[in-house]
Amino acid sequence: MKFGKVEYPDIIDFSLPEDHKDTVRILNTTAKESLSTYVGCAKWNRQDLKGFYPRGTKDELEYYSRQFNSIELNATFYRIFPEDQFKKWYDKTPEGFKFFPKLVQNISHLKRLNEDVEPYVDEYLSNVIHLKEKLGTIFLQMHGNFAPKNFDRVIRFIEKWPKEIRLAVEFRHTDWFNDLVVADELYSLLESNNISNIITDTAGRRDLLHMRLTNDEAFVRYVGANHETDYTRLDDWVKRLSTWKDQGINQIHFFVHQNLEVESPLLSKYFIKELNAHIGTQLGLPNHLSDDLKLF
């Protein structure tokens, strides 16, 4: 992922901001369930994850899904896959694995949530539901120039979204978070409709690190910089997620991206090990990656 890439990551202040004042309120008022944690990469493509697959691997998804318990499915952004494709992905993956698919760009970037998106939403959902219990939270990523002037479109889209299907939303225009009036209205809308507010952690866009949860789910899109700071940043996330666990979070969905994706599995494994050690999760570790994990 090139979004938020910077030339000199060592000069960035990567400190996580303090939580928004309403995050603890959300966590303290949600019904408590056993903690569900999913960690993975954004892709399973061999070219992007060069070196991850053992020689002779015939099916990349089948192998990947036995190393990690989830995938942030970005392929669904580019086109609406037929139901048979989702059925094939379902059959290839083990019990307990989950897909977290991105909504197709016709909805977010081309039609930009206008009144014409409904047929695309209907077609997308009628196909993706064939992932059955392996369907995790679907996420909507808006273009960086999609601004609060189109708030009415967001309201209409979210209020029409089927409540039985979990949704998370990522906004990239700074005014969604830095205009306090807009931000409060947005958080209220997401909260009242049980929609997750995606947290994006990338070097060049620290303005998107709002730390405001709107339900019992932390959906984090973490973008490393192929730099030694990637590990200390992940350490900070383990500490924050530990705090949120103590406050009552039910679901952690954390997906690791890199400017050069080849290192994403290594960072993901490191993060899983730290989660297991510090917050008591029991996530499986990829068995093909060396335990000598740090690259820098």
Side-chain angles (χ1 to χ4, degrees), residues 59-85:
D59 191 299
E60 295 159 13
L61 174 58
E62 186 177 28
Y63 178 81
Y64 172 93
S65 66
R66 283 164 174 75
Q67 307 305 309
F68 296 104
N69 70 354
S70 57
I71 185 81
E72 187 197 273
L73 188 56
N74 279 270
T76 53
F77 175 74
Y78 299 101
R79 65 186 178 96
I80 298 179
F81 287 88
E83 65 177 67
D84 285 349
Q85 183 62 69

Side-chain angles (χ1 to χ4, degrees), residues 53 138 251 259-260:
Y53 295 100
I138 294 172
Q251 301 186 60
N259 299 148
L260 299 175

